[in-house]
Amino acid sequence: MVARARRPISVSLALLLLTLGVACSGDSTSGSTDGTPDGFSNGDPSTWTVDTGVSDDGPRAGEPINVFCTVVGLQDGQDTPATRWSVTLEPGDAEAPVVSGETVTFHTAGTYWVACAIEETGWTDPKPSVVTVLAGEPLVVDTEVDPKKLDAGDKAKVSCSGTDAWGNPVEQGWEVDVVWAGEDPAPEDGLVPNGMKVTAYIVGSYDVACRHDTGAVDDSPVRVKVSHGLPYRLVTEL
């Protein structure tokens, strides 16, 4: 009789353990059927975002750059969705950029915004890449010197200007070249450039020309003549 009384207790205990095991197993897989932890993308297109990148954020006009669109939130092995990109901001008077595949070429100097978007969802990068386009190599270079006639010890101001192939004014990247224009031998440090100024030290004629850091130089330099200055000291002998 004692043995018979214990059998139902063992069966009940087994059923209880089985029930608890099923319950625990159900809790361990809750939240995501694919095993992705809560708070992370499960490959759902609504969770995708896209980042915009460019190969150069400071090109010269006429230099092509590449645009990169990187989709974030994909699962391993998931196909990358199609993306597109566009120029979302440009100078008001800008010539239309030239787009070819994943490259874009700007012809007007100024600031541009480039943003990627996901085709399937239309989600657009809220932080576009900022591209600052500089003027290209100058085709025309002009030099001005004021004044052109100096006494030894005087200084003159040099102004450089130019335009590139697309009409952009070239305002940066200038330096001043000075060449002796008299008979040989040429004096050393007769007319010395310092930034956008020249200082006269030795009497004679000099050609002053602007040179750009791309190598473009004014082929019509300005002739500057240096004369004797006032005497530093007068000596009278009787």
Side-chain angles (χ1 to χ4, degrees), residues 80-203:
T80 302
T83 57
R84 65 178 185 271
W85 56 268
S86 61
V87 178
T88 60
L89 178 68
E90 59 186 52
D93 58 347
E95 179 182 329
V98 177
V99 177
S100 177
E102 296 180 353
T103 68
V104 58
T105 304
F106 301 99
H107 289 158
T108 303
T111 300
Y112 299 79
W113 288 3
V114 180
C116 290
I118 301 174
E119 290 277 8
E120 182 175 344
T121 64
W123 197 93
T124 302
D125 187 357
K127 296 181 179 180
S129 289
V130 179
V131 179
T132 303
V133 179
L134 307 176
E137 178 179 353
L139 293 183
V140 178
V141 179
D142 292 317
T143 306
E144 294 185 5
V145 181
D146 183 30
K148 299 179 180 65
K149 293 183 179 181
L150 303 171
D151 291 335
D154 289 347
K155 295 183 179 181
K157 179 182 178 180
V158 181
S159 300
C160 299
S161 60
T163 54
D164 65 13
W166 297 276
N168 297 302
V170 181
E171 300 174 347
Q172 300 178 346
W174 295 108
E175 58 186 37
V176 177
D177 282 352
V178 175
V179 177
W180 170 249
E183 296 181 358
D184 292 335
E188 290 188 15
D189 299 330
L191 184 66
V192 178
N194 183 11
M196 301 309 292
K197 293 182 179 180
V198 290
T199 302
Y201 291 106
I202 298 176
V203 173

Side-chain angles (χ1 to χ4, degrees), residues 208-225:
V208 177
C210 291
R211 177 183 296 275
H212 194 253
D213 59 16
T214 59
V217 63
D218 188 354
D219 57 5
S220 300
V222 175
R223 180 64 54 88
V224 175
K225 294 184 178 182

